Amino acid sequence: MTNDKLIEYTVEITKAAIANAGEKATHIVNDPEKLGQFMTAVHSKLVELDKAQQ
């Protein structure tokens, strides 16, 4: 899978997680550092899963 596709999936997963968390996600959404950490964790897991499938 290309890095662009992994980034696209990371963004979509992050959007879905925030939408599902509702008010609980406020502390992450309002803190760019925490949001970046969350997105990095999601991206890292996607890369790991992609490598495992190859």
Side-chain angles (χ1 to χ4, degrees):
M1 187 176 312
T2 66
N3 193 50
D4 287 346
K5 200 56 147 170
L6 289 169
I7 291 170
E8 180 183 331
Y9 288 159
T10 298
V11 170
E12 292 305 315
I13 289 169
T14 301
K15 286 179 184 177
I18 289 168
N20 287 332
E23 293 286 324
K24 297 175 192 172
T26 305
H27 70 284
I28 292 174
V29 175
N30 292 332
D31 185 337
E33 186 175 332
K34 286 182 181 178
L35 182 59
Q37 290 171 350
F38 178 82
M39 292 183 79
T40 299
V42 170
H43 184 76
S44 295
K45 188 62 176 180
L46 288 174
V47 169
E48 180 184 316
L49 292 170
D50 185 51
K51 287 181 180 178
Q53 288 184 349
Q54 293 178 358

